[in-house]
Amino acid sequence: MGKSDFLTPKAIANRIKSKGLQKLRWYCQMCQKQCRDENGFKCHCMSESHQRQLLLASENPQQFMDYFSEEFRNDFLELLRRRFGTKRVHNNIVYNEYISHREHIHMNATQWETLTDFTKWLGREGLCKVDETPKGWYIQYIDRDPETIRRQLELEKKKKQDLDDEEKTAKFIEEQVRRGLEGKEQEVPTFTELSRENDEEKVTFNLSKGACSSGATSSKSSTLGPSALKTIGSSASVKRKESSQSSAQSKEKKKKKSALDEIMEIEEEKKRTARTDYWLQPEIVVKIITKKLGEKYHKKKGIVKEVIDKYTAVVKMIDSGDKLKLDQTHLETVIPAPGKRILVLNGGYRGNEGTLESINEKTFSATIVIETGPLKGRRVEGIQYEDISKLA
């Protein structure tokens, strides 16, 4: 059997050593030396190099312990932030993943004796949210990164600005309505008392435009001549012409758009063109465009399963089924074939599902038909590629 045989004890021991899976009691943190068995660790402790390291550590032991503790804490928190984010997770899961790396700082070289002590210390220092359950200790990372805080402040500022814009628009609409009401002449009807002097007199009503009037005409009406009848007829025709002209003018006013209608149209146009700097939505198909993950995932498609903080998504790969946590800058939308279902990701139609009707390759835009919401059935042209994506 050759020296380099795959099944020789030395080859097996070398593979175990490369993985860093040997017992913790046979590891020397000062020398960063991993021994394979108890005898090897005993020989290492008696070696001259180990004795020199002990002499250096004995001069200032607290300094070495503080250094190892700080390194352990920084690496542990970095793994927690990068791998799990702000999710609540069991501390043992994070620790097992941390010690799987070969060049890690061992806890027996730090100021904490157990993982529970380290977890409690994280809670006391305010680095993580810590709670104890029957299943063990759970930790949740508190993100105090300046970039994250800046992004949150910008989002709050943008929300406040949107609210201010809505209040200004509401006040503007109220002002327009008030001006419209002031411009109209309010017709106030006048009322007169219904009375007659004699019981034999007849009461007549004038039902023309204006207030009702009463008058007692008995014998006088019978004495009216033909000239009076002509004047009455001419006045009636003039009144009919005036009423027809007023009705025509009222129809023209109705045809013209009021200030309130114009304002509503302007607001609808603003909402339609409103855009945000985030576009991720669950259950859409996306493509990975970053090369940092290797050729295995480059230009591969996946489905967004969860959106975290509007800018980060958990993507499940379609081919392999792997789950990756990616930022939206590392992803791009997927345009399906005409006739397939899509989801609008940005603009005024954001959140509406639809069907892709056609694609314009020259302008990098598409024509869709909205299928959900109050705009169902509307045909929308000129929507950019990055504003829509295929539905899973």
Side-chain angles (χ1 to χ4, degrees):
M1 188 177 290
K3 284 186 178 180
S4 60
D5 195 347
F6 185 76
L7 296 178
T8 58
K10 187 173 183 179
I12 295 173
N14 287 333
R15 288 197 297 273
I16 293 175
K17 182 181 178 182
S18 64
K19 290 182 179 179
L21 299 178
Q22 299 174 79
K23 287 186 179 181
L24 184 62
R25 57 182 293 201
W26 296 336
Y27 183 82
C28 178
Q29 185 67 66
M30 286 296 302
C31 304
Q32 297 182 359
K33 173 73 173 177
Q34 177 75 66
C35 300
R36 304 186 188 183
D37 51 19
E38 187 175 0
N39 185 40
F41 187 71
K42 182 180 178 181
C43 294
H44 169 71
C45 292
M46 296 171 61
S47 64
E48 184 180 355
S49 60
H50 179 75
Q51 295 298 326
R52 285 198 303 267
Q53 291 291 337
L54 285 181
L55 289 174
L56 290 174
S58 61
E59 293 177 358
N60 194 350
Q62 190 63 35
Q63 180 182 359
F64 284 91
M65 183 174 289
D66 292 342
Y67 171 76
F68 291 135
S69 300
E70 184 178 359
E71 289 293 319
F72 177 82
R73 181 200 64 190
N74 293 338
D75 295 343
F76 188 91
L77 290 177
E78 177 65 20
L79 174 65
L80 179 62
R81 182 190 67 81
R82 187 181 66 252
R83 176 67 176 82
F84 300 97
T86 56
K87 287 185 177 180
R88 181 172 173 268
V89 63
H90 199 284
N91 62 348
N92 204 32
I93 295 176
V94 185
Y95 181 71
N96 286 334
E97 188 163 344
Y98 171 75
I99 64 176
S100 64
H101 297 280
R102 183 182 178 188
E103 302 295 334
H104 70 276
I105 303 295
H106 291 71
M107 185 173 283
N108 60 357
T110 65
Q111 64 183 11
W112 305 287
E113 296 181 358
T114 61
L115 181 60
T116 302
D117 294 339
F118 177 63
T119 304
K120 292 179 180 178
W121 183 86
L122 290 176
R124 288 194 302 270
E125 294 295 323
L127 299 173
C128 296
K129 294 180 181 178
V130 178
D131 58 318
E132 185 180 9
T133 64
K135 294 183 179 179
W137 288 86
Y138 281 83
I139 56 177
Q140 185 178 1
Y141 181 70
I142 300 175
D143 195 353
R144 290 191 173 88
D145 184 38
E147 182 67 21
T148 305
I149 295 174
R150 184 188 62 79
R151 183 180 291 180
Q152 291 177 354
L153 292 176
E154 287 182 356
L155 290 176
E156 291 177 359
K157 185 178 179 181
K158 188 175 182 181
K159 287 180 181 178
K160 186 178 180 181
Q161 186 177 0
D162 294 340
L163 291 176
D164 294 341
D165 292 341
E166 290 178 2
E167 291 177 359
K168 290 179 182 178
T169 305
K171 289 181 180 179
F172 180 70
I173 292 173
E174 290 178 1
E175 183 67 20
Q176 292 294 328
V177 173
R178 186 181 62 79
R179 289 181 181 177
L181 293 176
E182 288 179 355
K184 293 182 179 179
E185 296 180 356
Q186 298 181 357
E187 299 178 357
V188 181
T190 58
F191 303 96
T192 58
E193 185 179 356
L194 181 62
S195 63
R196 58 184 178 179
E197 297 177 357
N198 299 325
D199 294 338
E200 296 179 357
E201 290 178 350
K202 294 181 180 180
V203 180
T204 59
F205 298 93
N206 185 7
L207 301 179
S208 63
K209 185 178 181 181
C212 58
S213 62
S214 63
T217 57
S218 56
S219 60
K220 293 181 181 180
S221 62
S222 62
T223 60
L224 291 175
S227 61
L229 294 174
K230 288 180 181 179
T231 56
I232 292 171
S234 62
S235 63
S237 62
V238 170
K239 288 182 179 179
R240 283 196 298 271
K241 288 181 180 179
E242 289 178 355
S243 63
S244 63
Q245 289 178 359
S246 63
S247 63
Q249 290 177 359
S250 62
K251 287 182 180 178
E252 289 179 359
K253 288 181 180 179
K254 288 181 179 179
K255 289 181 181 179
K256 292 181 180 179
K257 293 182 180 179
S258 63
L260 184 61
D261 294 336
E262 292 179 356
I263 293 169
M264 292 176 67
E265 288 183 358
I266 292 172
E267 288 302 314
E268 186 177 353
E269 182 67 19
K270 284 182 180 179
K271 290 181 179 179
R272 191 179 68 81
T273 56
R275 299 182 62 82
T276 58
D277 58 347
Y278 56 89
W279 53 268
L280 290 172
Q281 294 288 343
E283 300 302 325
I284 62 171
V285 181
V286 293
K287 183 187 291 184
I288 298 176
I289 58 175
T290 181
K291 295 182 179 180
K292 294 181 179 179
L293 301 176
E295 295 297 331
K296 180 181 179 182
Y297 300 111
H298 184 54
K299 295 295 183 180
K300 300 296 182 181
K301 296 179 182 179
I303 301 173
V304 176
K305 291 299 181 181
E306 184 182 358
V307 179
I308 304 171
D309 297 333
K310 298 181 181 180
Y311 299 92
T312 310
V314 177
V315 181
K316 183 178 181 181
M317 306 307 297
I318 296 177
D319 296 338
S320 60
D322 298 341
K323 287 187 177 181
L324 305 175
K325 185 177 178 182
L326 300 169
D327 191 83
Q328 69 174 12
T329 56
H330 298 154
L331 303 170
E332 68 176 6
T333 58
V334 175
I335 306 301
K340 299 293 185 179
R341 290 175 57 80
I342 55 92
L343 180 68
V344 183
L345 307 176
N346 216 334
Y349 304 102
R350 181 187 182 97
N352 290 320
E353 298 181 8
T355 304
L356 182 64
E357 188 176 280
S358 61
I359 297 174
N360 189 347
E361 296 181 355
K362 293 182 179 179
T363 59
F364 301 100
S365 62
T367 302
I368 65 171
V369 178
I370 305 296
E371 294 184 353
T372 58
L375 303 176
K376 184 177 180 181
R378 176 176 291 188
R379 184 172 179 269
V380 183
E381 299 179 354
I383 289 192
Q384 299 300 315
Y385 285 170
E386 61 266 18
D387 291 346
I388 59 174
S389 189
K390 179 181 178 182
L391 270 173

